[in-house]
Amino acid sequence: MKYSIASTRKRLPAFALFLLALLFAAAMPAQEATSKLGGAIVDAQGNAVVDATVTVKSGTGAIRTTRTDANGVYSVDALPAGTYTVEATAVGFAVASKTGIVLVSGQSAQAPFTLNINPVAEMITVNAGVDSLAAQTAPSGGFVEERSAQSLVSDTYIENFTSPIADYGEIVQIVPGAFTISSDGVGLGQSKTYFRGFPDGDFDIDFDGIPFYDTNSPTHHSWAFFPAQWVGGVDFDRSPGSASTIGPTPFGGSIHLLSKPLFSEQDVRGTASYGTWNTKLYDGAFNSGSFGLFGSPKKSNLFVDVHRMTSDGYQTFNFNTRNGGSLLYQYQFSPRTVLTGFSGVIQLDANTYGLSPTRCQTLGASTTSAYTCTGVNSAFVGAGINFMMTNNADPNNWLDYQYNSYHVPTDFEYVGLKTEFGKGWYLDIKPYTYNYDNAELFSNATPITEAATINGSKTYNGIAIAPCNVQVTKKGVSALPCAVDKYNSYRKYGETSVLSQTSQLGIFRTGLWYEWARTDRHQYPSDPLNNWADQALPNFAEQFWTNSYQPYAEYEFHVTPKLNVTPGVKFADYTLDVLHHADNGKTVGDLCPLGQTTGCPTTATDTGSFTAWLPSLDLNFRVHPNWAVYAQVATGSIVPPSTVYDFNHTPSAAVPTPGLLTPLKQQRSTTYQAGTVIKLQRFTLDADAYRVRFQNSYSSVIDPTTTETVNFLQPSSITQGLEFETTAILTRGLNLYLNASAANAYYSGELNAGTAASPFYEKAPSGLWVAQTPADTETQGITYQSRGLDLGFFNKRVGEQRVDGGAYHNQAIVSPFSVANAYVNYTVRNHSIFDQTKIRLGANNLLNQHNLDALTLAGATTSNPIAGTSYVDPFNQTTAISGSDNPTFLSGRSFSASVTFGFAPRERK
């Protein structure tokens, strides 16, 4: 633990200055206010919308909020003269807005609205009854209505204070306890997000309520789905949620990505952006506003976005190209029934997506290094990466991108139907499908200074022996080409449904998530110098089919007007059927019993099923309309990775043996959380404490005798900590945002599976830290928004982390690092046809830091440099630092300049 009461005391002077700033802001005199704004709000059928929320924002950044009365009418008095933007929304409806409304001193103006049903309305109506300017302008914050720790990342933050090519990983960097690593630059290549020490794959991500994840393991492809151009907001539930929270791994939290809002007025946008590393983005977006077909009433709404992004990338010659398009359509059958359709298509092309350069290949070695950079650790044509920060200046050692390519088309579609039956009954159903198709070619040539030997010989059939071009099987040794043809493709079909009923007692919810998927994957040794001719037998080839079921039920009891209690239960059922094809011995071999050489099976099958009952209980107590406390306990599980079904076939075995040498238990977790949410007029505070017990996590180790992968269970771990985030209005238009987390994650017991001489050995003394869990994280942000000018500065710091070496814990340290970003934007507000045109300037990693942000060790070590304790190491590897380690570093400083042209309709001039 790296925090104490003493360290907290040191921060008191800064906190006192912060309070003085708040008092100063509150004491500032107000401008004379004599104007009035009002209007009626109706639905598409002309019926009054009662209790709608109306937000009035001036050009100086001041905000006023009110509600409509029983006739659907709102009125805001005592407004200073000036130009205003008005937004209106209500439960079940999309946000509608009007800009450029001019108020003259002493006069009144009208701004009526017609609201359309929103396909994800239930996710954006939070804080509806809270009168808080700070909450309305916060980059991220929780909800008074919610029952757990949550952070809603606003669309204003996404549009103004993130890179124009950002992916969702970059967007959620601002959330307490979360951080994202992207070695090729923001939005370029596959990023990885960590939260509370849980890696990608231990928390959920969904889009408009539909979970998406890889079939090999429940991880995510950040740049292959849902770029920032499609994201209208992010609701980060920093908890396992309740029974109705669906997905493969909600125990670590859920990142809810929301589609762009649909507006009642037409809007056209065109963006051109240029940045460091020759990064270019062209984007066009069209929001139709409400319209009718062939003279029919205005019941339709359409949003379309198309974009193209190209970049050379931070990693030399790692070119990126992304072409994408999305379409969101809504049709309102009646005020109670709406149909929504979404389709998004992405096509990616890049080089070396999966390449992991070694310490030597990236940095080389100084004369004082404890390791050497010769042989397999040298930089080399075809697999080396020359970073812009490296000391390797020889172009011959740069990445030979001609022999490394990555091509990924994806698509994601759903159709949603929402209807209200009356008497409080409500149905929301979404059938969906999506596809991921990864075709990768990469060179794995590894020249060495001295050939390896087999049976004392340095050649085999006249070929010099090296790790890249020989393969040892039970039938002997054969030469292999030095490249890989890799393929991973899956198509999913599924549906989410929820049926709810609201009464005086509370809200009943029940529903089902079901998903079916087919996966086809293989890796063939291939020859890039011979038209990529594949070897006859692969390293592995398999197809597998998965079924996931999650029915649930919960009841949100309104015990008193201030207290809600929600018990619930969910049932998780996952099945997987695998078809293995015979291979060259890397994974399952030729599937022959010992001594048999003909008539061998060409395929083998395996199957598995995991089930779990997952109860939950939470409560929310409203101390005051702007202040609530909550508590929660919930259980969770995880979809097992497909690797637990791999065979471990050895030449000495009479018959092939499946990889599940001992039955693996279903992974389980139990989370306890409590927190509070305070939304004052000029100040917000969200704070929580949590404790997560994570059991039965999967790990693996290589058997040094057979070179097979063996799966086993790690010890249980405890993750616990404190989090907070706050926004304060310092003065008009000037906001301060802060968040922090202090945590520890440690193994709670000792597990010995096998003996010290066995490859299935795991020893983790109680108290050792879990890898990739920062001791603390902090974000400092300050924004200024007034009269079309948006200024923002955000700094993210990630504390010290431990690194494991395979199955051996706390072998190395990743020191703390920080990333600072700055943004300057100006929006034209001249009531012309170019109204809302925006100029954006951004800088990522402003201080050009190159810290180590992640590390994969080449092997386990015999000593623990942190705790000083010894480990039993069946592989007898003793080097603490190796030139073969795989480090990653913060990508260098990058700048971007963007112009978004706005073409406003006549009524908005």
Side-chain angles (χ1 to χ4, degrees), residues 439-450:
E440 185 176 0
L441 301 171
F442 63 91
S443 169
N444 63 346
T446 310
I448 60 176
T449 57
E450 184 175 354

Side-chain angles (χ1 to χ4, degrees), residues 3 17 59 107 213 236 311 613 718 784 811:
Y3 51 92
L17 291 174
Q107 297 185 8
Y213 60 99
F236 198 144
S311 177
W613 287 97
I718 300 293
Y784 178 78
Q811 299 297 317

Side-chain angles (χ1 to χ4, degrees), residues 506-583:
I507 304 175
F508 168 71
R509 302 182 189 93
T510 185
L512 171 69
W513 169 52
Y514 167 71
E515 183 175 273
W516 175 91
R518 182 188 188 277
T519 301
D520 187 356
R521 57 195 299 261
H522 65 242
Q523 286 190 17
Y524 279 86
S526 187
D527 186 353
L529 301 180
N530 187 24
N531 295 319
W532 288 96
D534 287 347
Q535 181 182 269
L537 290 176
N539 294 333
F540 71 85
E542 63 185 16
Q543 290 84 42
F544 55 88
W545 295 261
T546 55
N547 285 273
S548 304
Y549 302 84
Q550 278 187 10
Y552 63 86
E554 67 181 28
Y555 202 100
E556 182 181 327
F557 288 99
H558 296 169
V559 181
T560 71
K562 294 184 177 182
L563 176 63
N564 296 337
V565 179
T566 308
V569 66
K570 174 169 53 188
F571 180 71
D573 186 322
Y574 312 115
T575 62
L576 187 145
D577 298 286
V578 187
L579 177 66
H580 294 281
H581 296 267
D583 57 41

Side-chain angles (χ1 to χ4, degrees), residues 594-661:
L594 184 65
Q596 181 177 335
T597 58
T598 60
C600 300
T602 58
T603 61
T605 60
D606 198 4
T607 187
S609 178
F610 291 82
T611 61
W613 287 97
L614 305 173
S616 66
L617 177 67
D618 60 65
L619 63 87
N620 176 288
F621 181 72
R622 189 71 68 90
V623 181
H624 184 272
N626 293 61
W627 177 22
V629 295
Y630 58 83
Q632 176 190 46
V633 57
T635 54
S637 66
I638 184 171
V639 172
S642 63
T643 54
V644 303
Y645 299 94
D646 283 345
F647 276 50
N648 283 294
H649 183 244
T650 66
S652 61
V655 292
T657 55
L660 295 172
L661 298 183

Side-chain angles (χ1 to χ4, degrees), residues 18 22 48 54 62 72 84 349 437 501 536 598 609 634 664 728 733-734 748 792 866:
F18 174 63
L22 290 180
V54 181
Y84 289 83
D349 289 280
D437 197 79
Q501 197 265 336
T598 60
S609 178
L664 293 182
L734 183 64
S748 60
I866 299 171

Side-chain angles (χ1 to χ4, degrees), residues 93-380:
F93 292 93
V95 177
S97 67
K98 293 186 178 181
T99 61
I101 299 174
V102 178
L103 292 184
V104 180
S105 180
Q107 297 185 8
S108 299
Q110 292 290 307
F113 288 92
T114 299
L115 300 185
N116 293 317
I117 292 179
N118 190 356
V120 289
E122 69 275 11
M123 294 184 179
I124 63 169
T125 56
V126 295
N127 292 324
V130 175
D131 183 17
S132 171
L133 297 179
Q136 298 291 338
T137 58
S140 172
F143 317 135
V144 174
E145 296 86 354
E146 291 299 337
R147 296 123 52 187
S148 61
Q150 297 208 12
S151 295
L152 177 66
V153 183
S154 70
D155 56 350
T156 300
Y157 171 80
I158 296 172
E159 292 176 1
N160 293 321
F161 304 126
T162 62
S163 168
I165 62 170
D167 56 25
Y168 60 76
E170 176 68 14
I171 294 172
V172 302
Q173 283 259 48
I174 194 174
V175 172
F179 70 97
T180 299
I181 293 172
S182 181
S183 58
D184 199 29
V186 172
L188 303 174
Q190 182 74 34
S191 67
K192 289 296 182 183
T193 298
Y194 300 84
F195 173 63
R196 290 180 176 175
F198 291 120
D200 184 20
D202 282 359
F203 50 80
D204 271 356
I205 303 180
D206 61 62
F207 182 79
D208 283 355
I210 297 171
F212 81 98
Y213 60 99
D214 198 87
T215 54
N216 300 311
S217 65
T219 54
H220 308 88
H221 300 287
S222 63
W223 69 324
F225 293 96
F226 315 119
Q229 289 76 20
W230 301 358
V231 179
V234 179
D235 177 7
F236 198 144
D237 186 347
R238 297 182 284 114
S239 81
S242 65
S244 62
T245 304
I246 59 173
T249 56
F251 66 85
S254 295
I255 300 176
H256 305 300
L257 306 179
L258 311 179
S259 58
K260 290 284 189 178
L262 298 173
F263 295 100
S264 58
E265 296 178 342
Q266 187 181 104
D267 193 52
V268 181
R269 291 283 182 266
T271 298
S273 176
Y274 184 80
T276 306
W277 312 313
N278 196 31
T279 301
K280 303 173 186 177
L281 171 69
Y282 305 98
D283 177 76
F286 171 70
N287 202 324
S288 69
S290 301
F291 68 94
L293 297 172
F294 311 110
S296 62
K298 295 182 177 181
K299 295 185 177 183
S300 293
N301 205 306
L302 177 68
F303 174 78
V304 179
D305 178 271
V306 292
H307 72 270
R308 175 178 173 83
M309 187 275 294
T310 61
S311 177
D312 294 347
Y314 173 60
Q315 296 171 332
T316 307
F317 296 139
N318 192 357
F319 301 116
N320 286 258
T321 300
R322 183 180 72 210
N323 296 296
S326 69
L327 183 151
L328 178 66
Y329 175 75
Q330 176 182 290
Y331 183 80
Q332 186 174 341
F333 290 100
S334 72
R336 292 186 172 186
T337 303
V338 64
L339 180 71
T340 303
F342 175 86
S343 177
V345 177
I346 292 285
Q347 181 166 297
L348 294 168
D349 289 280
N351 304 102
T352 70
Y353 151 72
L355 196 61
S356 298
T358 66
R359 184 188 299 270
C360 283
Q361 292 162 5
T362 305
L363 298 174
S366 66
T367 56
T368 59
S369 295
Y371 55 91
T372 59
C373 288
T374 60
V376 296
N377 291 330
S378 297
F380 48 84

